Amino acid sequence: MAAGCEQVPKTKLEVVAATLPENKNETTTAPKTAKDNRPKPAGTGFAYDEIYAALADGGFDVPAVNYRAIDPQYLRQEVEYITAEPAYSIVVDTNERFLYWVLPRGRAIRYGVGLGTQGRSWKGRAVVQWKQKWPRWKAPDDMIARNPELKPYGVEAGGMAPGPRNPLGARAMYIFQNGKDTLYRIHGSPSWRTIGKNSSSGCVRMLMQDAIDLYDRVKGKTPLLVI
């Protein structure tokens, strides 16, 4: 597994165990999906001028998203999504660069995401163990080795303070496997240009407003499948 997009002290790696039981017969095959679940813009179910507008949140100003410059398929929309995964779970499709919040009756809310570059991504089952508003970001050791200028944001230095320019953005959801922190996150990104691309260190990047929306939907220990 790659290093992930954030470093945490070793004492935090053994946090409360994830609740998914180990099943040696379990596979991580892709859920069955409709042949084409990309609706036309008129059927998205969201008013983009409103959901991607600037907003004040937690003492910070979140800038508006220039959504007209983004490929429309990567904007938030409700779609048909036939899957064996339970309602109110998350599926990340790494090939299509979509994150699905599974709804009942064959529907889902689909978000465009940015994912890891080659060699810095993973697939499998996990849980969103916990989540945090306006988190601090701590640069991983291997990232500092590649970019020494990030040393002031390492674990020992206390990381980068919360704010709109922080790489984790307004919200972070922490991914655990078998009770251990994977160091991967689902998080907001201050750079909307990375959505729909493979440019991260393995984390799942979202538009800031989309990360806030998903954060409010996710409850404790939400199941996650990355395919």
Side-chain angles (χ1 to χ4, degrees), residues 75-92:
L75 300 178
R76 190 192 318 171
Q77 48 200 281
E78 184 174 330
V79 298
E80 180 182 14
Y81 190 62
I82 309 303
T83 177
E85 298 305 302
Y88 313 118
S89 64
I90 296 171
V91 178
V92 177

Side-chain angles (χ1 to χ4, degrees), residues 55-97:
L55 60 96
D57 179 89
F60 298 102
D61 293 325
V62 178
V65 174
N66 183 15
Y67 70 86
R68 292 182 178 85
I70 300 174
D71 187 330
Q73 68 176 321
Y74 295 122
L75 300 178
R76 190 192 318 171
Q77 48 200 281
E78 184 174 330
V79 298
E80 180 182 14
Y81 190 62
I82 309 303
T83 177
E85 298 305 302
Y88 313 118
S89 64
I90 296 171
V91 178
V92 177
D93 187 327
T94 57
N95 289 327
E96 299 292 338
R97 293 178 292 279

Side-chain angles (χ1 to χ4, degrees), residues 17-133:
T19 57
L20 285 183
E22 183 177 356
N23 184 345
K24 295 182 180 179
N25 296 321
E26 184 178 62
T27 63
T28 57
T29 55
K32 296 179 181 179
T33 60
K35 290 184 179 179
D36 185 4
N37 55 13
R38 301 180 185 180
K40 297 179 180 179
T44 63
F46 296 99
Y48 292 145
D49 283 336
E50 296 178 7
I51 67 171
Y52 291 130
L55 60 96
D57 179 89
F60 298 102
D61 293 325
V62 178
V65 174
N66 183 15
Y67 70 86
R68 292 182 178 85
I70 300 174
D71 187 330
Q73 68 176 321
Y74 295 122
L75 300 178
R76 190 192 318 171
Q77 48 200 281
E78 184 174 330
V79 298
E80 180 182 14
Y81 190 62
I82 309 303
T83 177
E85 298 305 302
Y88 313 118
S89 64
I90 296 171
V91 178
V92 177
D93 187 327
T94 57
N95 289 327
E96 299 292 338
R97 293 178 292 279
F98 293 141
L99 182 151
Y100 294 91
W101 173 249
V102 181
L103 299 173
R105 296 182 291 278
R107 305 292 293 176
I109 296 175
R110 191 182 75 192
Y111 308 86
V113 295
L115 297 168
T117 55
Q118 186 173 7
R120 295 197 181 103
S121 60
W122 66 281
K123 296 180 181 181
R125 291 189 180 275
V127 294
V128 175
Q129 183 79 6
W130 62 292
K131 57 184 187 174
Q132 188 173 5
K133 296 181 179 180

